[in-house]
Amino acid sequence: MVRINPSILAADFVNLQRDLARIPSADFVHVDVMDNHFVPNLTFGLQMVGRIQDVSSLPLDVHLMIDDVDRWAPEYAKLGAFSVTFHAEATDAPVDLARRLRSLGSRAGIALKPGTPAEPYLDDLAEFDQVLVMTVEPGFGGQGFLAETMPKLQQVRDAVDAAGVDVWLQVDGGIDLSTIAVARDAGADTFVAGSAVYGAADPDLRVSALREAALRHGEQGHTH
Ligand SMILES: O=C(CO)[C@H](O)[C@H](O)COP(=O)(O)O
Ligand SMILES: [Fe+2]
């Protein structure tokens, strides 16, 4: 199973509805919320994500790069977001927050910055629906893929398989037609791509090409 989630961080913010309609073959639309606090960049908040939820035909994969997630993440679940991912670095009680998100009907994701170890969360994998291993420092699109995050991704993949739990493994940052194979090989099944999709002349064709690149690689040697 391979999921391709285009990030609208690379879309045209004044033509978002048009750009949302340009990716019909995607699985989810990835929505990056930044507060200029947790990361040094600012995008949009609850009101905007509510409107995206209203007009999008794809389910929302919300990535919160904000502080105060205990307060704010449940609000995104209440909007009807399919999945809400908060950063591990932004809360002292990730399991409690994940339970709250699930109780509100959303999937619960936990994200790890490149320098954040996975070990503290590996015993609680069943509490989450998704682990996002960041492959860039969060905050900006268009950055280069950090291959040094791959051992951590593999570690999470091994722990998920050993526990026999259904947790999606997402990568986000610098995913393109070549790095998607590297991340697939290390165990990712859910791929966020911003500039690789919206920088293409035909974004939907690029979604298909990314999916094929991941699947083709999987056939050739992927064993997870
Ligand atoms: O969370 C993010 C940045 O913090 C974005 O989802 C990510 O960077 C996507 O952009 P690109 O594919 O261009 O790297
Ligand atoms: Fe993201």
Side-chain angles (χ1 to χ4, degrees):
M1 170 62 89
V2 164
R3 301 173 199 90
I4 307 294
N5 302 4
S7 167
I8 52 164
L9 187 61
D12 179 350
F13 278 17
V14 296
N15 289 288
L16 262 188
Q17 192 165 11
R18 179 200 69 189
D19 280 359
L20 285 166
R22 294 175 81 192
I23 50 166
S25 350
D27 295 281
F28 302 91
V29 57
H30 184 85
V31 178
D32 288 304
V33 177
M34 303 185 190
D35 65 355
N36 200 31
H37 228 265
F38 181 77
V39 289
N41 195 8
L42 184 67
T43 54
F44 39 66
L46 203 55
Q47 185 179 358
M48 185 70 140
V49 177
R51 286 296 293 138
I52 295 169
Q53 172 75 26
D54 289 343
V55 304
S56 175
S57 48
L58 294 171
L60 264 53
D61 170 41
V62 176
H63 177 195
L64 298 176
M65 287 163 276
I66 61 173
D67 287 333
D68 296 329
V69 283
D70 300 296
R71 174 181 174 196
W72 289 107
E75 299 301 319
Y76 289 87
K78 288 178 197 165
L79 283 180
F82 177 83
S83 176
V84 177
T85 296
F86 58 85
H87 268 266
E89 305 86 3
T91 177
D92 293 328
V95 169
D96 290 345
L97 182 53
R99 288 179 179 171
R100 174 112 176 92
L101 294 174
R102 283 175 162 182
S103 77
L104 291 166
S106 169
R107 289 170 61 90
I110 184 164
L112 308 173
K113 297 208 284 192
T116 301
E119 280 88 0
Y121 311 101
L122 297 182
D123 288 339
D124 292 321
L125 285 172
E127 301 282 353
F128 302 99
D129 299 296
Q130 169 165 286
V131 176
L132 165 53
V133 173
M134 289 302 299
T135 43
V136 297
E137 287 296 339
F140 298 90
Q143 303 183 77
F145 176 82
L146 297 173
E148 58 265 38
T149 58
M150 292 300 96
K152 179 168 66 181
L153 178 60
Q154 185 73 62
Q155 177 189 25
V156 180
R157 164 52 63 198
D158 291 345
V160 165
D161 289 351
V165 288
D166 182 20
V167 180
W168 297 358
L169 292 197
Q170 184 175 76
V171 283
D172 182 7
I175 299 297
D176 60 22
L177 288 168
S178 78
T179 57
I180 196 167
V182 177
R184 174 73 170 158
D185 193 43
D189 52 31
T190 306
F191 303 89
V192 177
S195 41
V197 169
Y198 280 108
D202 184 336
D204 203 49
L205 209 55
R206 183 59 59 86
V207 169
S208 303
L210 285 163
R211 190 187 305 283
E212 280 160 25
L215 286 170
R216 191 167 54 243
H217 187 76
E219 280 162 21
Q220 283 171 357
H222 181 69
T223 53
H224 302 292

